[in-house]
Amino acid sequence: MSSGSPSSLSPPPEDKRNHVNGAVGRSRRQNVNYGIRNQYLASLTERELNGLNVYRCEDDDLSIRTAAAQARLPYDRMTLRELELFPEMARSQHSVALFLYIRNKTLAQWQFDPLLELTLGAILKELPEPFNSDVELVTSIHNYLERYGYINYGVFTRLSVREFDKKLTIVVIGAGAAGLAAARQLKFFGFDVIVLEARPRLCGRVFTYHRGAGLPPIDLGGMIIKGIVGNPLITLIRQTQCNIVEMNQKCPIYDRNGKLIDIQKNEMILNSLNKILNTICYIVHEMGITKIEEDSPNSQNNNKNVAKKGGRKINLGEAIQLILNQNELRVKTRLMKYWQRFEQLCNKLKDAGEKTKAYRNAIDTCMDTLAQNGAFLETPDAYDLTFNGSVSQDLLNRKLSLRSMRQCLKIAVNEAVQERREIEEMKNEYEKMEPSHVFMNDYDKRILDFHLANLESSIGAPLRTVALKDWDQDDLYGFDGSHITGKFLIYFGNLL
């Protein structure tokens, strides 16, 4: 641990100690005066200094932001892992800003020239004063970034020698992209490495199939890099100088007849798949269900697959199919309820028609009765009939009752006709709302198969072999930017 004025420090000789086995978590450090860069900062109070953003003191803010993004790290805060490894740096805003500047500056220096190993001496030489005054802190940050693969990875020229008192041998299973990169990194750390591969070839999923003379080759995997921001493969491409081509990310989809699939149709299928995957995540992570229990044939439960915590484990492919089957059952149930409601409307319409017909028949009966008793529609109102001495009181009361009944029946007929009209309009509108008979038809399923194949490509394994619990372990900081393609086998040749 060095002490004294930061300006009196000189870069130490090249550190050739083993940084792999050295613990990144350090013992508690002594307080160090990091100095003030100019008179303006010197005039600030201690409170203002602790709240000062260290990036405002530098002119390379964009470069360190970009470096942090490329390393999939937040440029303006410490990660949970960093807080665990460097707990003393989280005690004040000033110490956090100091850590972030050294970390981001180191990342920027590595990404500026990834063809050459970034040594501790190079970092101390590049860091401006007073940020290079705490050699132990810079060393620990360098060890941390190297240990977790943020710097000094891929195909680069080594400048340091790693030695162990006792040589260790590590076996790497699989000679694909991850296996070869891991083997090379372990060699850089000083281990002896043995790589095992089941196939008679290297490169894993990256494979170009040559079909013969006159036929173009076909890439069967690993030919597209989805996103260049935060993607460590971009550093590897820079190291191996692969030729890359930017791709059109709109990616139109065509059916088997060469017809362009409707964008809205494709979005609908893709949204349905995303909902299914979200449902699986909820069932697994919130409900803790990763198994099913198959009922016996004698069971009264018609559902053959009941999700429970006990029973047989299911894979991602089975879970997707189970939810698809459940959606099909839900669609058929909804369709059955629709037709039951439609049948009710038809019965109501029939009843309204019969009611109208009955009212009209009753009116005709009243008219016939009035005509037989000498009272026609032209007959004056009831007051004229009341003072007609030729009409008996009983006959008059009967005629008045019939006429009142006829008026009531006419009102009832109008109401029945209006009710029938409303029911018929409701039936016509409801008929237009007929739901789909299936959750997905054959055409939709072919589009879904394309997206499921794309999911398999992203995961790197068939869905039937993917564990239901661990399939969605996504990186917190995903890749962004353009999609590219190129001849990536050159990279694998350099890894050997």
Side-chain angles (χ1 to χ4, degrees):
M1 181 69 189
S2 300
S3 59
S5 173
S7 60
S8 63
L9 292 175
S10 59
E14 190 62 46
D15 188 0
K16 296 185 179 181
R17 296 176 299 171
N18 175 24
H19 299 321
V20 179
N21 289 341
V24 181
R26 301 167 293 109
S27 59
R28 184 173 180 179
R29 300 180 298 106
Q30 299 179 4
N31 293 328
V32 178
N33 180 16
Y34 295 102
I36 301 299
R37 300 202 61 191
N38 53 43
Q39 294 298 324
Y40 173 73
L41 293 180
S43 64
L44 295 177
T45 63
E46 182 68 16
R47 181 178 179 182
E48 291 173 332
L49 179 60
N50 289 337
L52 182 66
N53 188 341
V54 71
Y55 302 114
R56 297 178 183 175
C57 305
E58 302 298 320
D59 57 1
D60 56 353
D61 180 64
L62 181 60
S63 65
I64 57 180
R65 284 172 181 255
T66 305
Q70 189 62 30
R72 305 173 308 285
L73 293 172
Y75 87 96
D76 56 349
R77 66 181 184 275
M78 298 175 66
T79 64
L80 293 178
R81 176 183 291 168
E82 291 170 343
L83 291 174
E84 293 176 356
L85 297 177
F86 301 89
E88 69 278 13
M89 300 305 298
R91 294 175 181 173
S92 69
Q93 190 172 356
H94 177 66
S95 60
V96 170
L98 173 66
F99 173 87
L100 292 175
Y101 179 78
I102 297 175
R103 182 250 273 170
N104 294 339
K105 191 71 174 178
T106 303
L107 293 172
Q109 190 172 350
W110 158 249
Q111 293 169 14
F112 178 76
D113 185 12
L115 300 178
L116 192 66
E117 178 186 351
L118 180 58
T119 62
L120 178 61
I123 297 174
L124 291 171
K125 184 177 180 180
E126 183 68 21
L127 283 174
E129 295 182 356
F131 299 103
N132 59 0
S133 60
D134 189 347
V135 179
E136 183 182 354
L137 174 62
V138 178
T139 302
S140 296
I141 294 176
H142 174 270
N143 292 347
Y144 151 67
L145 294 176
E146 186 177 76
R147 168 63 180 81
Y148 287 95
Y150 294 111
I151 63 173
N152 295 337
Y153 63 88
V155 183
F156 59 92
T157 302
R158 304 179 185 180
L159 300 179
S160 62
V161 178
R162 313 300 172 93
E163 296 180 355
F164 289 95
D165 295 335
K166 183 179 180 180
K167 204 69 170 179
L168 299 177
T169 301
I170 297 179
V171 177
V172 176
I173 300 177
L180 293 177
R184 187 178 183 87
Q185 196 69 9
L186 290 170
K187 289 285 290 184
F188 169 69
F189 287 155
F191 297 99
D192 286 338
V193 182
I194 298 175
V195 180
L196 302 180
E197 172 57 49
R199 295 187 180 99
R201 62 174 181 84
L202 303 178
C203 304
R205 295 177 58 225
V206 178
F207 179 61
T208 301
Y209 175 62
H210 296 275
R211 298 185 292 170
L215 296 176
I218 299 177
D219 285 321
L220 300 181
M223 62 282 191
I224 299 176
I225 295 179
K226 300 179 179 180
I228 60 176
V229 179
N231 196 330
L233 288 178
I234 300 303
T235 300
L236 301 176
I237 289 174
R238 291 176 57 196
Q239 292 172 336
T240 55
Q241 299 180 353
C242 292
N243 294 325
I244 59 175
V245 178
E246 185 176 359
M247 300 182 62
N248 183 0
Q249 294 182 231
K250 293 183 179 180
C251 189
I253 304 176
Y254 297 85
D255 60 17
R256 62 177 62 178
N257 298 320
K259 182 180 178 181
L260 182 65
I261 293 177
D262 182 67
I263 297 179
Q264 294 182 351
K265 166 71 74 173
N266 179 55
E267 289 293 332
M268 181 185 67
I269 301 299
L270 187 57
N271 290 336
S272 298
L273 176 58
N274 288 331
K275 290 180 180 179
I276 291 175
L277 296 177
N278 290 335
T279 301
I280 292 176
C281 291
Y282 178 81
I283 292 175
V284 173
H285 300 300
E286 299 297 331
M287 302 176 63
I289 298 176
T290 58
K291 302 178 181 180
I292 61 172
E293 181 175 302
E294 297 182 354
D295 294 345
S296 61
N298 298 328
S299 175
Q300 297 179 355
N301 191 352
N302 293 327
N303 187 3
K304 297 300 181 183
N305 295 307
V306 181
K308 293 184 178 181
K309 293 186 178 180
R312 179 178 63 85
K313 287 186 177 181
I314 59 175
N315 54 57
L316 180 59
E318 287 180 309
I320 292 176
Q321 189 59 50
L322 284 174
I323 296 180
L324 286 174
N325 295 341
Q326 189 67 25
N327 285 330
E328 290 288 353
L329 179 61
R330 186 179 295 110
V331 167
K332 294 184 183 302
T333 303
R334 188 185 303 118
L335 183 63
M336 183 179 298
K337 291 182 179 180
Y338 167 83
W339 284 115
Q340 289 174 349
R341 174 60 177 163
F342 187 79
E343 184 180 10
Q344 292 175 358
L345 290 176
C346 291
N347 292 334
K348 284 185 177 181
L349 185 62
K350 181 180 178 181
D351 294 342
E354 292 178 352
K355 186 189 298 184
T356 303
K357 183 178 180 181
Y359 287 157
R360 292 186 185 278
N361 292 336
I363 290 175
D364 293 340
T365 302
C366 290
M367 294 294 293
D368 294 340
T369 304
L370 289 173
Q372 292 174 3
N373 289 275
F376 300 95
L377 290 176
E378 294 80 11
T379 302
D381 57 28
Y383 295 102
D384 295 335
L385 294 175
T386 303
F387 296 99
N388 189 345
S390 63
V391 180
S392 65
Q393 187 65 35
D394 293 339
L395 182 60
L396 179 62
N397 292 336
R398 185 178 179 184
K399 291 180 178 180
L400 289 174
S401 298
L402 290 172
R403 293 185 64 183
S404 298
M405 184 182 298
R406 182 174 66 86
Q407 294 296 330
C408 292
L409 288 173
K410 288 179 65 176
I411 296 174
V413 167
N414 293 334
E415 292 178 351
V417 170
Q418 180 64 25
E419 180 184 2
R420 185 176 184 277
R421 186 180 297 111
E422 292 176 355
I423 295 176
E424 189 169 5
E425 291 178 356
M426 188 182 304
K427 171 180 169 293
N428 293 335
E429 290 296 326
Y430 196 73
E431 195 171 5
K432 299 177 183 178
M433 299 166 56
E434 180 180 359
S436 174
H437 291 213
V438 293
F439 178 65
M440 287 187 181
N441 56 33
D442 293 339
Y443 187 76
D444 296 339
K445 290 179 180 178
R446 287 197 293 269
I447 301 176
L448 177 64
D449 288 340
F450 168 81
H451 291 294
L452 290 177
N454 193 26
L455 179 61
E456 287 184 334
S457 176
S458 301
I459 296 176
L463 299 182
R464 65 180 182 275
T465 64
V466 178
L468 191 61
K469 186 177 181 180
D470 303 321
W471 73 272
D472 60 339
Q473 294 182 353
D474 294 333
D475 196 351
L476 181 61
Y477 296 92
F479 304 147
D480 197 5
S482 302
H483 292 189
I484 60 176
T485 185
K487 297 181 179 180
F488 301 129
L489 286 177
I490 300 177
Y491 155 66
F492 288 99
N494 285 276
L495 283 180
L496 299 179

